[in-house]
Amino acid sequence: MAVQSECDSVTKEVKEVLQHHDKPLNVGMVKESADQHTIPLKIAITGESGSGKSTFVNAFRGINDDDEGAAPTDCVETTEKGTPYPHPEYPSVTLWDLPGIGTTKFPADEYMKLIEFEKFDFFIIISDTRFRENDVKLAQEIQKMEKKFYFVRSKIDNDLRSEERSQREFNAENTISQIRENCVQGLATQGIESPRVFLVSSFQLHQYDFSLLYETLERELPELKRKALLLATPSINLEIITKKKQAFQVSLY
Ligand SMILES: Nc1nc2c(ncn2[C@@H]2O[C@H](COP(=O)(O)OP(=O)(O)OP(=O)(O)O)[C@@H](O)[C@H]2O)c(=O)[nH]1
Ligand SMILES: [Mg+2]
């Protein structure tokens, strides 16, 4: 409730800015406003069942799967309802551990509605294999909402272990770049251009792309918050819509 009223006051402030100032000032003041306040940001952790979403949430928060307050994880279908967990450093940012897409309880064609997909500001799509039809469907829905996402290819430790077992001339670097290439190309052939793909093991955080993902998200948080805030500002009249469009162009591209 406190966060909501804080957000309302920020939104009011941004409305003022958009109504009464010229464009360069708008962007600067919106930025300042967004940076100074605790603007809530909801990050959805989504993907197919068993891809490692809950384990990723725990790893991101720096806690073990069996710690108190950890997201429940298991090798059988586990997460049955979207659950928020606070970002370890920014309490206004929540990571939403979501159920998997494409199960009997959450069939792909009803998933977006059942989990209220549009309420999230940013998305992390997790897959433990090459990205498939449902992952692409999620990305397309996110693009339609003009929001952003990362792809996380999880359980890289498993891949390396099985490659090592099956290949006589195993080279970890080569295997990693093959997985990366395969993910990016596979997504491109399905119409997702220049996808941002991070290779992660939630059990070996110091390896692969986990820190890069953490740092990238941290760097992009202010911009994501600004965009979320502007999307939440009701469109009051044509003049303001135009100014909002200008602010988006300047701040995001
Ligand atoms: N080796 C390895 N196993 C992992 C990794 N991440 C998750 N797992 C395992 O994968 C299984 C499923 O993990 P969850 O995190 O419960 O998967 P989920 O996507 O939340 O599953 P649902 O909630 O059922 O959709 C568990 O047995 C985890 O221990 C990883 O990075 N490496
Ligand atoms: Mg889960």
Side-chain angles (χ1 to χ4, degrees):
M1 221 51 202
V3 171
Q4 182 61 48
S5 71
E6 200 162 352
C7 184
D8 287 347
S9 83
V10 175
T11 307
K12 204 168 149 221
E13 197 178 319
V14 173
K15 269 195 234 167
E16 286 270 301
V17 171
L18 290 169
Q19 255 167 333
H20 300 299
H21 299 277
D22 61 6
K23 191 183 78 181
L25 200 56
N26 277 348
V27 177
M29 290 183 74
V30 169
K31 180 179 183 312
E32 205 177 303
S33 176
D35 288 346
Q36 278 174 7
H37 294 82
T38 21
I39 297 160
L41 189 86
K42 295 194 184 97
I43 301 177
I45 313 299
T46 184
E48 295 209 349
S49 182
S51 59
K53 300 179 295 297
S54 306
T55 310
F56 175 83
V57 168
N58 293 335
F60 195 95
R61 299 181 62 219
I63 61 175
N64 293 323
D65 292 338
D66 51 4
D67 282 352
E68 204 186 323
T73 64
D74 208 333
C75 52
V76 294
E77 193 180 325
T78 306
T79 308
E80 294 191 342
K81 94 186 215 310
T83 312
Y85 296 90
H87 185 290
E89 290 176 72
Y90 310 104
S92 62
V93 176
T94 39
L95 303 170
W96 282 73
D97 182 26
L98 298 182
I101 182 172
T103 61
T104 41
K105 278 187 205 141
F106 295 90
D109 52 355
E110 289 172 44
Y111 185 75
M112 322 285 166
K113 206 167 122 207
L114 289 172
I115 64 152
E116 302 178 89
F117 212 53
E118 71 291 344
K119 81 178 180 189
F120 301 104
D121 306 303
F122 180 70
F123 299 80
I124 295 179
I125 303 171
I126 301 193
S127 175
D128 59 359
T129 60
R130 70 188 76 89
F131 293 95
R132 292 185 290 212
E133 196 186 338
N134 283 338
D135 304 303
V136 171
K137 205 178 212 171
L138 289 167
Q140 286 164 342
E141 285 301 316
I142 299 165
Q143 281 175 335
K144 269 193 225 158
M145 297 189 290
E146 297 185 23
K147 292 178 184 175
K148 286 192 179 186
F149 54 87
Y150 299 156
F151 283 107
V152 164
R153 170 59 165 80
S154 62
K155 308 187 192 176
I156 293 298
D157 55 309
N158 274 350
D159 293 271
L160 287 177
R161 205 171 311 116
S162 46
E163 283 295 294
E164 190 171 13
R165 221 176 286 140
S166 64
Q167 283 185 12
R168 218 176 306 147
E169 291 183 22
F170 170 73
N171 177 309
E173 287 300 311
N174 286 349
T175 303
I176 289 168
S177 56
Q178 272 170 9
I179 297 172
R180 196 186 300 284
E181 190 64 13
N182 179 267
C183 285
V184 172
Q185 276 187 0
L187 287 164
T189 57
Q190 296 183 77
I192 309 291
E193 291 302 328
S194 315
R196 291 202 285 176
V197 179
F198 297 89
L199 271 47
V200 161
S201 163
S202 293
F203 296 161
Q204 296 172 340
L205 302 187
H206 54 290
Q207 292 198 52
Y208 323 118
D209 297 339
F210 194 90
S211 348
L212 180 67
L213 163 66
Y214 196 95
E215 284 156 22
T216 308
L217 183 60
E218 187 166 19
R219 200 174 52 243
E220 296 190 348
L221 275 180
E223 184 182 318
L224 291 171
K225 284 189 166 196
R226 276 200 292 286
K227 189 168 181 194
L229 187 64
L230 284 166
L231 282 171
T233 312
S235 301
I236 301 155
N237 60 30
L238 198 58
E239 191 193 352
I240 293 179
I241 293 171
T242 311
K243 287 190 172 176
K244 272 171 79 169
K245 275 191 185 155
Q246 288 168 343
F248 267 106
Q249 277 157 9
V250 175
S251 64
L252 297 171
Y253 301 108

